[in-house]
Amino acid sequence: MSLTFSDRLISRLTNAQSVVAFTGAGVSAESGVPTFRGSDGIWKKFKPEELANFEAFMKNPELVWEWYSARKKIIANIEPNRGHHTLVRMEQMFPRFAVITQNIDNLHRRAGSTNVFELHGNIERNYCTKCGTPYTNEEVLTQAGVPRCLKCNGLIRPDVVWFGEMLPEDEWEQSVRAAESADVFLSIGTSAIVYPAASIPLMAKHQGAYLVEINPEPTPLTDQADEFLMGASGAILPELYARLVAERQLQQLP
Ligand SMILES: [Zn+2]
């Protein structure tokens, strides 16, 4: 099935100097990343909110680490999908292109995107809660029990933003800057309800970006979007990209 895109969207994208893709859980779900809500096994009895917070970690680091080790192992075996791969190609297509993601699974970088801002951290990274030394998954998962810093013996934690924590300031500021200078802003696979991240598409729109939402179902953002493309990003993005490539070739004809 071939999708039709509006002339306006194609023209906006063809002339865009700066494009931002803002991604959420839907993009990961298309790769098979579980939501870890109501999932099977022993974790069924815990809500993510109960484990993904600093207090829970300090109270019971064994339990929180057991949960993260399980998540890390599942995610390590998951592959980026066609949506991720198309965003890599788009990075090469536009003079400026950024991915702002709320996902922690590292799939954008693994696909090959280089200009990625991670608002909620990255599950493949870890750091010491005492001295800040970073650790890879390999370094922590090979330690028996709760991983500890080799320099100061402090507790190592996953480099993800937990409930009640601030977003990383650098990533936030760079995301806002990218959003506010975007000509086209693509909001992809996100329910647009988790603040403050959810405010980013509207910041882009208020600064003049053409706001496009790609999602299997409407969200609170849909009414504000200039266009709503209903469906999976793994289906829509490759078609959109192919259409843009065709358009460029047409323009280059004598
Ligand atoms: Zn340390």
Side-chain angles (χ1 to χ4, degrees), residues 23-25 27-29 31-34 36 71-72 75-76 78 80 84 101-110 118 120-124 160:
T23 65
V27 175
S28 295
S31 273
V33 176
F36 297 96
R71 293 184 68 180
K72 283 167 183 278
I75 287 169
I78 283 172
H84 293 106
T101 189
Q102 301 162 85
N103 301 332
I104 60 170
D105 49 40
N106 200 38
L107 290 178
H108 287 297
R109 286 189 201 279
R110 275 172 54 199
E118 293 158 326
H120 295 159
N122 184 324
I123 199 163
E124 295 200 352
V160 296

Side-chain angles (χ1 to χ4, degrees), residues 233-249:
S233 56
I236 291 175
L237 286 174
E239 291 226 27
L240 181 58
Y241 177 79
R243 177 74 205 295
L244 293 174
V245 170
E247 195 68 25
R248 285 183 181 217
Q249 281 165 348

Side-chain angles (χ1 to χ4, degrees), residues 97-242:
F97 187 86
V99 173
I100 302 172
T101 189
Q102 301 162 85
N103 301 332
I104 60 170
D105 49 40
N106 200 38
L107 290 178
H108 287 297
R109 286 189 201 279
R110 275 172 54 199
S113 289
T114 59
N115 199 28
V116 183
F117 305 126
E118 293 158 326
L119 291 178
H120 295 159
N122 184 324
I123 199 163
E124 295 200 352
R125 295 192 308 247
N126 313 274
Y127 64 91
C128 171
T129 52
K130 242 183 180 171
C131 74
T133 300
Y135 287 91
T136 63
N137 272 354
E138 215 186 355
E139 287 169 316
V140 297
L141 295 177
T142 46
Q143 286 197 34
V146 175
R148 293 213 167 246
C149 180
L150 301 178
K151 290 183 184 160
C152 76
N153 203 38
L155 285 171
I156 297 173
R157 62 168 281 180
D159 189 359
V160 296
V161 176
W162 280 336
F163 290 95
E165 292 183 326
M166 302 279 288
L167 304 192
E169 208 172 316
D170 266 19
E171 306 280 313
W172 172 257
E173 279 172 11
Q174 293 185 87
S175 298
V176 169
R177 225 174 296 142
E180 290 185 339
S181 66
D183 299 316
V184 177
F185 188 98
L186 310 169
S187 181
I188 309 169
T190 169
S191 55
I193 48 169
V194 182
Y195 279 85
S199 59
I200 287 192
L202 291 175
M203 288 182 193
K205 187 182 159 103
H206 291 151
Q207 295 298 318
Y210 194 64
L211 179 57
V212 182
E213 182 181 23
I214 300 172
N215 218 45
E217 43 196 52
T219 71
L221 183 68
T222 307
D223 282 346
Q224 309 282 323
D226 295 299
E227 301 224 6
F228 176 61
L229 306 175
M230 194 156 89
S233 56
I236 291 175
L237 286 174
E239 291 226 27
L240 181 58
Y241 177 79

